[in-house]
Amino acid sequence: MWLKPVPSCFSMLKPYCSATPPPPTTLKFITAMKTTEEPDVGIFCYISQLPGFRGILKQRYSDFMVNEVDAEGNVVHLTNLDAPAETVKEIETKTHDATSKDYTTEIESFRSLVDPDDAERLEAIINLINSGSEDSILPIVLSPDYDKSHRTAVHNFFKENFKFLVTDTVDGPDASSKCIRVRINSGGQNSRGRNSRKRKERGDKPFDSRGSDDWSENVGKFLRFHLYKENKDTQEALGIIGKMLGVQPRSFGFAGTKDKRAVTTQRVTVFKQLASRLAALNDRLIGIKVGDFCYVKEGLVLGQLMGNRFTITLRGVVADSEDTIKASAIALGKQGFINYFGLQRFGSGSVPTHLIGATLLRGEWKSTVSLFLDPREGDILLMLLGTLRQLPRHLVSEKAILQCLKKCPGNYLQALKAIPRTLRMMYVHSYQSYLWNHAASMRVQKYGTDRVVLGDLVYCKGNETEKVSEVVRSECVDENGNDTLDPIDLDDISGTNLPEERLNLVKAVTAEDILSGNYTIDDVVLPMPGSRVILPENDIADVFHDLAKKDAISLTESVHNVKEFSITSMTGSYRRVFQKPMDFEWEILKYIDANKPLVDTDFDKIAKTKPSSLNGDGRLHDKTKQSECLDNDVGLQTDDNGAKAKGEELPQAESLCDTNPQETQTALKLSFTLPASCYATMAIRELLKTSTSVSFHKTLN
């Protein structure tokens, strides 16, 4: 149910906020845009009018710690690296009878069939077998193969030449690729392998290649563990663990992704794996640790969390006085912040995700593909680089599109559908977020932050359900009822709203409600556009229609019949306009050595109890990691922040590596919990009164 649009609402904006609204999301605007700034996506208001102060977020990635909060409200920590006494027994069999043969000829033939690196991997595994070390051999995964007939030839080659090995096909790094996995045939040389046994020989149990098919009936099929990682994103960390275990990515389950430039701890489940196997990886893992193992009946899925606990250290703090810092911290705890979707919601590339979402909603398939593939400043020149195999793995959408166009030239819609579903839906959700941010700014601009006004939307209280005109879940779901979670929301958000809010009902505030005082400013919500949400019954409703109309998008009817790229086919959701940090704590610290951590991580705490088992200084060393010194090459787009007092320039921060080690500096340590879907950077923005954009933060270094 949508209200009828009226003439533009932006003429009503007053000079209260920090910036004016940007132009509409047209292709002309895209070509001129280099980096996304907060006003471009509707972020230009604050709650308090206190002055900001200078502070550097993530000068070291260990200054940003994130601990997941599970659905029961427990903060997830890494406390123990040891595996418990195993109650699970796998059936072990001798795997081969091939230690005496020379396979040089077969390997050379294999080299002509596959990538040279794959031949080297095969030779290495055969050498291990011949040395009698088969018990420690892990499966190998060959390079991505897009040709089914070629994969068949490789499978047949192994059947004919390496009967002590067995192969199967697993998912590749992107949607349209597959990889061949090679592992020891545990059934022996003359057998097709235990995994190829007839179903009746397995007790009528289907083989699941995610883990062992021999598993005790009385033990949960999923191993749950706590994943601790430094300066790595969730997929990267699990990819490393998966390769070591020889399992597919789909074997792992988790409630939410955590960002790279941070120290994070979260729960993960893996299907049918022994705790002892994972615990044994700790000695080999770099920048990653696993622990706190237990077996459970169900695996984790996205959204199964209450939120995140943040421990954030702002370094290099400069303010008029400590009283300024204290006043700002107290105000953040009491008043909270505007619950904007942060810049990370809109991507880090030259073309923000909401602009791509707008072209999808207009049904401009070819234009959308061009946005992905046209060379643009700061991005890899995709069309000039060469083959698909040369594309970096993180360019998932680009690779999927090119692979499809290679097979079906000119079929741009099909190419867009080749992008993994959660990723392609993220672009449409990003446009919804763009509209929501602008509406939130208008709500603050016009009506302030201290009272409920006539026509505001609120979650119902008490016995008011009969007065509600529409019922909707407060998370994004599609018409099939499937959760549509956003993979770009990383460590300082969690993909869905709080579970207890999902079935809450929404109504428009009446004059009677205002007189009764039943509702406060904390109850106010705004909709994410969709077919089953209502708009505020005041002029804030006009923001949605006005902005969409400028982008040639209708919120009430679709110009094409592709439901997943249509707002009218999406249910919609609601989001609180204001959010207060929970269990909020803060502390002003003094330090001299800028290279010294100011807060212990989970691993630091373990290291203090078991120093002999760790590296020399008790730290989790990563030989390949980037320096913790912040430089211009570090990916700051997800949640980096700088500091500038409102309306004035402050002194530039020195590089961490150049800081005078004898100079006493000030830091502000913040600890707080946010519910799922909230952005910690928006809380820091309210505190410092500064932009969170990459371009601004680079000026501090």
Side-chain angles (χ1 to χ4, degrees):
M1 181 184 300
W2 290 94
L3 300 182
K4 184 178 179 181
V6 299
S8 174
C9 60
F10 285 125
S11 60
M12 297 182 288
L13 284 175
K14 303 174 184 177
Y16 173 86
C17 299
S18 59
T20 55
T25 57
T26 61
L27 289 180
K28 182 178 180 181
F29 179 47
I30 291 173
T31 59
M33 188 174 188
K34 293 183 179 180
T35 59
T36 304
E37 302 294 338
E38 289 177 350
D40 300 327
V41 293
I43 303 172
F44 42 85
C45 291
Y46 300 100
I47 290 181
S48 81
Q49 299 190 43
L50 291 172
F53 55 90
R54 172 189 182 274
I56 304 174
L57 178 64
K58 288 194 177 183
Q59 192 171 53
R60 299 166 60 91
Y61 61 75
S62 56
D63 290 340
F64 199 96
M65 300 182 190
V66 187
N67 291 83
E68 188 171 273
V69 179
D70 67 21
E72 288 72 44
N74 302 308
V75 180
V76 176
H77 287 281
L78 183 73
T79 62
N80 193 331
L81 302 178
D82 300 324
E86 295 290 6
T87 57
V88 180
K89 298 289 184 181
E90 285 187 295
I91 299 174
E92 302 288 347
T93 58
K94 197 66 179 175
T95 58
H96 65 89
D97 184 23
T99 59
S100 59
K101 182 176 177 180
D102 183 359
Y103 286 92
T104 302
T105 302
E106 288 82 354
I107 292 173
E108 288 304 315
S109 298
F110 185 67
R111 199 182 301 275
S112 64
L113 183 64
V114 298
D115 187 278
D117 290 340
D118 292 334
E120 295 297 330
R121 293 193 195 101
L122 176 62
E123 185 174 13
I125 197 172
I126 291 176
N127 289 338
L128 284 173
I129 291 172
N130 287 335
S131 68
S133 304
E134 68 274 9
D135 290 339
S136 62
I137 295 176
L138 296 175
I140 61 172
V141 178
L142 305 184
S143 300
D145 194 335
Y146 303 94
D147 188 338
K148 184 176 181 180
S149 61
H150 182 261
R151 294 198 300 270
T152 300
V154 174
H155 285 303
N156 290 334
F157 186 88
F158 275 92
K159 290 178 182 178
E160 295 170 4
N161 297 281
F162 303 105
K163 297 185 182 297
F164 55 94
L165 298 174
V166 64
T167 61
D168 62 356
T169 302
V170 299
D171 294 335
D174 49 67
S176 57
S177 70
K178 298 290 183 181
C179 297
I180 291 177
R181 179 173 57 177
V182 183
R183 58 186 185 275
I184 292 177
N185 183 344
S186 58
Q189 169 142 350
N190 297 320
S191 166
R192 295 176 63 199
R194 91 177 166 193
N195 298 335
S196 299
R197 289 180 292 167
K198 294 180 180 179
R199 185 164 182 152
K200 63 182 180 181
E201 297 175 14
R202 300 195 302 261
D204 202 37
K205 297 178 183 177
F207 172 68
D208 191 321
S209 62
R210 294 179 295 169
S212 170
D213 59 333
D214 298 308
W215 198 261
S216 301
E217 291 289 340
N218 60 340
V219 177
K221 293 184 178 181
F222 292 87
L223 173 66
R224 189 177 70 200
F225 61 95
H226 293 177
L227 170 67
Y228 169 95
K229 59 183 184 62
E230 297 181 354
N231 205 28
K232 290 179 173 59
D233 61 43
T234 301
Q235 283 85 353
E236 178 186 2
L238 293 180
I240 292 169
I241 294 172
K243 283 186 177 180
M244 290 183 171
L245 294 175
V247 301
Q248 299 184 48
R250 67 186 178 96
S251 302
F252 296 101
F254 48 89
T257 55
K258 310 299 177 190
D259 203 345
K260 176 178 180 178
R261 192 167 173 79
V263 175
T264 73
T265 305
Q266 67 185 110
R267 298 163 300 149
V268 177
T269 55
V270 62
F271 188 73
K272 288 185 176 180
Q273 291 294 327
L274 294 176
S276 57
R277 288 197 70 199
L278 268 79
L281 301 180
N282 279 322
D283 291 336
R284 299 161 54 195
L285 289 169
I286 299 175
I288 303 169
K289 294 295 177 185
V290 292
D292 298 274
F293 304 98
C294 67
Y295 294 98
V296 295
K297 294 181 179 180
E298 300 292 336
L300 287 167
V301 297
L302 287 170
Q304 288 183 333
L305 77 168
M306 183 174 288
N308 288 311
R309 179 73 180 170
F310 297 91
T311 304
I312 299 173
T313 304
L314 301 173
R315 291 179 182 257
V317 171
V318 176
D320 294 336
S321 67
E322 283 199 0
D323 289 339
T324 298
I325 302 172
K326 293 176 181 178
S328 296
I330 292 171
L332 177 61
K334 288 185 176 181
Q335 300 176 357
F337 57 95
I338 303 171
N339 197 21
Y340 287 124
F341 289 96
L343 285 178
Q344 54 270 56
R345 179 77 165 189
F346 305 95
S348 58
S350 300
V351 181
T353 54
H354 72 286
L355 302 185
I356 295 175
T359 60
L360 287 171
L361 292 171
R362 289 194 293 265
E364 299 170 357
W365 316 131
K366 185 175 181 179
S367 295
T368 306
V369 169
S370 296
L371 292 181
F372 280 110
L373 301 183
D374 281 350
R376 51 195 189 265
E377 183 178 348
D379 292 350
I380 296 173
L381 304 183
L382 300 176
M383 303 303 291
L384 305 178
L385 189 60
T387 65
L388 286 169
R389 189 173 291 182
Q390 291 176 290
L391 291 179
R393 290 186 63 182
H394 72 274
L395 297 178
V396 177
S397 296
E398 291 84 348
K399 185 174 289 188
I401 289 172
L402 288 173
Q403 287 164 353
C404 185
L405 290 178
K406 182 178 179 182
K407 297 178 181 178
C408 307
N411 193 338
Y412 299 108
L413 176 57
Q414 190 61 36
L416 292 169
K417 287 188 173 182
I419 299 171
R421 175 174 169 75
T422 53
L423 188 54
R424 66 179 185 261
M425 292 307 299
M426 175 265 293
Y427 299 108
V428 177
H429 295 160
S430 179
Y431 186 77
Q432 291 176 299
S433 304
Y434 165 80
L435 296 180
W436 191 98
N437 276 0
H438 278 280
S441 288
M442 173 61 79
R443 171 60 180 78
V444 172
Q445 180 84 8
K446 190 169 182 65
Y447 298 116
T449 63
D450 58 352
R451 62 190 176 95
V452 176
V453 300
L454 191 67
D456 273 340
L457 297 183
V458 293
Y459 285 122
C460 290
K461 295 180 179 179
N463 300 317
E464 297 183 326
T465 56
E466 70 276 8
K467 301 179 183 178
V468 179
S469 58
E470 190 69 49
V471 179
V472 67
R473 293 168 63 91
S474 64
E475 64 177 274
C476 293
V477 294
D478 63 19
E479 285 298 286
N480 297 319
N482 298 319
D483 290 348
T484 51
L485 299 165
D486 187 347
I488 202 168
D489 292 346
L490 302 174
D491 68 330
D492 97 322
I493 60 167
S494 306
T496 60
N497 288 330
L498 285 174
E500 59 265 27
E501 293 181 356
R502 289 179 175 175
L503 297 178
N504 280 355
L505 308 180
V506 170
K507 59 166 285 183
V509 171
T510 65
E512 181 183 353
D513 293 324
I514 294 176
L515 289 174
S516 67
N518 284 339
Y519 296 98
T520 70
I521 193 67
D522 295 329
D523 299 313
V524 177
V525 300
L526 282 172
M528 293 278 281
S531 62
R532 295 183 59 203
V533 296
I534 59 173
L535 288 176
E537 294 182 5
N538 52 39
D539 49 12
I540 304 306
D542 305 331
V543 177
F544 294 95
H545 286 296
D546 285 354
L547 275 180
K549 186 177 180 180
K550 288 181 179 180
D551 292 328
I553 294 170
S554 171
L555 300 180
T556 58
E557 58 184 36
S558 179
V559 297
H560 55 76
N561 59 2
V562 183
K563 287 188 176 181
E564 65 180 289
F565 298 143
S566 170
I567 283 183
T568 59
S569 296
M570 303 178 72
T571 304
S573 63
Y574 295 103
R575 179 179 178 87
R576 294 187 185 275
V577 177
F578 305 100
Q579 180 63 52
K580 292 180 181 178
M582 297 176 287
D583 301 320
F584 182 63
E585 301 173 351
W586 58 273
E587 180 183 3
I588 295 176
L589 306 174
K590 298 294 183 179
Y591 66 99
I592 295 177
D593 186 353
N595 293 299
K596 182 179 179 181
L598 299 179
V599 182
D600 283 345
T601 67
D602 285 352
F603 188 77
D604 290 333
K605 295 172 184 176
I606 295 176
K608 289 180 178 179
T609 63
K610 296 183 178 180
S612 61
S613 63
L614 304 172
N615 292 315
D617 61 356
R619 297 289 294 165
L620 181 59
H621 292 303
D622 185 341
K623 297 177 182 177
T624 61
K625 73 183 180 184
Q626 295 173 334
S627 168
E628 285 213 51
C629 295
L630 190 60
D631 58 50
N632 289 339
D633 296 326
V634 175
L636 298 177
Q637 67 276 3
T638 52
D639 44 27
D640 288 343
N641 199 349
K644 180 176 66 175
K646 191 173 180 180
E648 65 174 338
E649 290 289 342
L650 287 172
Q652 302 297 301
E654 297 177 345
S655 167
L656 171 63
C657 297
D658 295 333
T659 300
N660 183 350
Q662 301 304 316
E663 181 183 352
T664 300
Q665 299 188 71
T666 301
L668 177 61
K669 174 188 171 185
L670 306 165
S671 298
F672 54 88
T673 299
L674 293 180
S677 83
C678 295
Y679 290 71
T681 48
M682 294 297 98
I684 301 302
R685 174 183 179 273
E686 176 69 32
L687 182 75
L688 299 178
K689 300 296 188 296
T690 184
S691 170
T692 59
S693 71
V694 176
S695 59
F696 176 79
H697 204 272
K698 283 184 177 180
T699 65
L700 296 181
N701 292 275

